[in-house]
Amino acid sequence: MALVALPVAAHATAPTFSVDYVVTVRRRDPGHLHVRWLLAGIDEIDAFRLVFRDDRTTRVTGTGTLAWHDHTLLWTPGGPYAHLAYTVAVERRRPPGPHFDSYAGPDWIATRALHLFPEINVSFRAGTVRAKSRARLVFRLPRGWRVATAARRLADDTFAVEEPAKRFDRPRGWFLFGHIARHTRQVAGLPITVAVAPGSGLDARRLLGLYGRTVPLLESVLGPPPPRLLVVSAPDPMWHGGLSGEDSFFVNGHIPLRSPDKTSTYLHELFHAWRPFRPRADGRWISEGLAEYYSLALQHRAGRLSDRSFARGIRLFARYGRWDIDLSRTRQPAALNNSAPLVMYWIDQEIRRVTNGRRSLDDAVRMLVGERGRLSTASFLRVVNRTADRDFTPLFRRHVYRGECPSLSAMRLGN
Ligand SMILES: [Zn+2]
């Protein structure tokens, strides 16, 4: 019998091209970062349309041709191997007040990908195979500096940039560089890194202890966690609050694990980091209300907040809330941070009451997460109705659209 040599089957995977994003920090001038993109094998890319947010990016150079229209750069790399280089001024003020959402001190830098990279739009040549990028983020740091990012670490200062839904992977999330401390812990399958800049008052071990108790509880409501979580803690003059990013968030190092009103910025931002739904404009109060309500409720469920303190937290929502306004349209912090979470507590109590304790707000949130649609007041009302098997429309009209404060005595919380 003759043996016939068969050709080895070609792999069905699409060809890849590679991108290295190299970020260089210089000790003499940490306020200006030098960014280089090194691209190889990009035969299938015609051009890039890069949209810069403001005037902090300067000295842009690259192979091929560069054409500017205001803050938009049309870059035609003009060959399979190409590079682009530019300088970014790190500091960016966040009004109102004298605080920053991106800042460089002498020995630390807190910033995020969207400050160092423009919005990237890629046009691929017509009729190309669906090539996918293999991208890395490489940091060149002064001696003694370290880096923390939300990306998967490949080597010391090199990270994988992965954006499964995109053909061209872009860096995302928060970064902290400098003489920083990194604390890591795995909680319920979620690798957590807490990165602390010099001068921050955060006790990272206590924060990891809090997450050890609360992450599993949140997972039971929101489902599987993000692949990784990075918490960036830095002192003034950074923003006095929390700022969420992709798989990461920033909280000012002066903010305690539990705020005087019993809620926790660290749990509020954890909720956002899960990115359970994409809110429409009129879904904002729901995403903020749930994040703030659960930041109180999770501490209570984890046995870290007494019934009395939990009740006090709920009463403070009523006191500091902004009432008699339409929650679905407002942008007022007092309404989003206090009225909205109180309404969430009230919805929880109502669902429990009409189902004789068989169901709760958790069930409505689980259903909402499962829908994967855009979050709006209407979609939220629908899942609340389904969970309670009751029509909440009149109650939403009163407490959401008219913004009437729910009665605390009806919820047995007194005044
Ligand atoms: Zn929030």
Side-chain angles (χ1 to χ4, degrees):
M1 188 166 70
L3 286 173
V4 180
L6 292 169
V8 177
H11 279 287
T13 50
T16 50
F17 52 95
S18 74
V19 188
D20 273 0
Y21 300 100
V22 183
V23 177
T24 304
V25 183
R26 294 185 183 143
R27 190 187 299 279
R28 290 187 315 280
D29 184 14
H32 291 90
L33 301 187
H34 304 276
V35 183
R36 278 174 80 81
W37 303 13
L38 305 169
L39 302 104
I42 55 163
D43 311 68
E44 307 195 328
I45 293 179
D46 226 2
F48 291 87
R49 193 165 55 81
L50 308 176
V51 186
F52 293 85
R53 316 175 81 206
D54 48 35
D55 297 318
R56 289 180 305 133
T57 302
T58 52
R59 297 170 57 195
V60 185
T61 58
T63 49
T65 59
L66 290 80
W68 286 95
H69 305 278
D70 293 326
H71 287 122
T72 301
L73 173 66
L74 187 71
W75 178 37
T76 312
Y81 293 85
H83 68 262
L84 183 78
Y86 53 86
T87 301
V88 179
V90 175
E91 291 186 2
R92 183 170 177 277
R93 231 175 247 281
R94 187 181 178 94
H99 298 284
F100 293 80
D101 56 14
S102 177
Y103 184 79
D107 59 354
W108 58 270
I109 299 169
T111 189
R112 54 194 290 192
L114 59 81
H115 295 298
L116 306 188
F117 299 93
E119 180 194 315
I120 304 172
N121 307 282
V122 186
S123 26
F124 289 89
R125 276 180 217 290
T128 56
V129 207
R130 289 192 64 80
K132 174 87 177 77
S133 65
R134 187 165 48 209
R136 303 189 309 166
L137 184 55
V138 182
F139 295 97
R140 303 215 191 287
L141 303 172
R143 189 188 296 275
W145 281 46
R146 309 171 85 190
V147 56
T149 84
R152 182 165 60 86
R153 187 182 292 272
L154 296 172
D156 255 3
D157 295 333
T158 304
F159 298 83
V161 178
E162 291 154 335
E163 215 180 356
K166 302 269 184 180
R167 288 173 76 183
F168 195 88
D169 301 292
R170 302 155 307 171
R172 293 178 301 163
W174 277 90
F175 305 135
L176 185 67
F177 316 104
H179 293 122
I180 62 169
R182 288 185 308 227
H183 308 260
T184 58
R185 182 171 164 186
Q186 184 102 2
V187 179
L190 171 64
I192 303 176
T193 301
V194 180
V196 184
S200 158
L202 177 68
D203 183 337
R205 276 171 216 289
R206 283 191 52 221
L207 176 60
L208 288 168
L210 174 66
Y211 285 160
R213 302 286 294 276
T214 49
V215 162
L217 297 172
L218 194 54
E219 186 176 9
S220 75
V221 180
L222 297 184
R228 278 168 298 280
L229 178 71
L230 169 70
V231 182
V232 165
S233 175
D236 288 351
M238 278 295 283
W239 176 249
H240 269 207
L243 297 167
S244 49
E246 295 85 2
D247 302 342
S248 57
F249 56 82
F250 163 83
V251 177
N252 187 294
H254 295 312
I255 294 184
L257 296 191
R258 181 183 298 154
S259 297
D261 70 358
K262 311 294 180 196
T263 63
S264 169
T265 307
Y266 297 88
L267 293 177
H268 179 113
E269 296 301 336
L270 177 69
F271 189 99
H272 286 316
W274 231 271
R275 299 217 283 172
F277 18 66
R278 293 168 301 137
R280 286 183 196 277
D282 80 333
R284 177 90 183 262
W285 74 274
I286 304 160
S287 128
E288 291 307 320
L290 290 173
E292 192 69 353
Y293 169 68
Y294 278 101
S295 91
L296 185 71
L298 289 174
Q299 296 179 75
H300 186 222
R301 290 180 195 180
R304 291 182 159 241
L305 200 62
S306 66
D307 292 351
R308 221 182 124 102
S309 293
F310 176 74
R312 178 164 168 72
I314 295 291
R315 281 196 300 270
L316 290 174
F317 287 150
R319 187 190 299 170
Y320 296 127
R322 172 90 165 71
W323 300 103
D324 304 316
I325 54 169
D326 183 346
L327 286 184
S328 73
R329 302 167 83 112
T330 185
R331 292 268 151 181
Q332 291 196 31
L336 296 174
N337 300 334
N338 295 290
S339 312
L342 181 65
V343 169
M344 292 304 167
Y345 176 68
W346 161 78
I347 291 170
D348 184 51
Q349 294 298 298
E350 280 298 301
I351 295 174
R352 288 173 193 270
R353 193 176 63 77
V354 303
T355 62
N356 293 317
R358 281 179 297 107
R359 303 194 121 189
S360 71
L361 179 65
D362 287 1
D363 297 297
V365 175
R366 274 186 208 108
M367 203 182 287
L368 206 53
V369 172
E371 284 189 349
R372 298 181 175 279
R374 296 296 300 273
L375 173 64
S376 64
T377 302
S379 66
F380 184 54
L381 173 60
R382 209 162 45 233
V383 297
V384 169
N385 287 345
R386 285 233 303 274
T387 304
D389 198 18
R390 198 62 75 88
D391 186 8
F392 272 61
T393 307
L395 293 169
F396 264 52
R397 208 170 285 140
R398 190 192 303 163
H399 297 295
V400 178
Y401 294 111
R402 290 209 301 272
E404 217 174 275
C405 184
S407 157
L408 293 180
S409 50
M411 294 187 279
R412 294 186 295 280
L413 276 164
N415 281 304

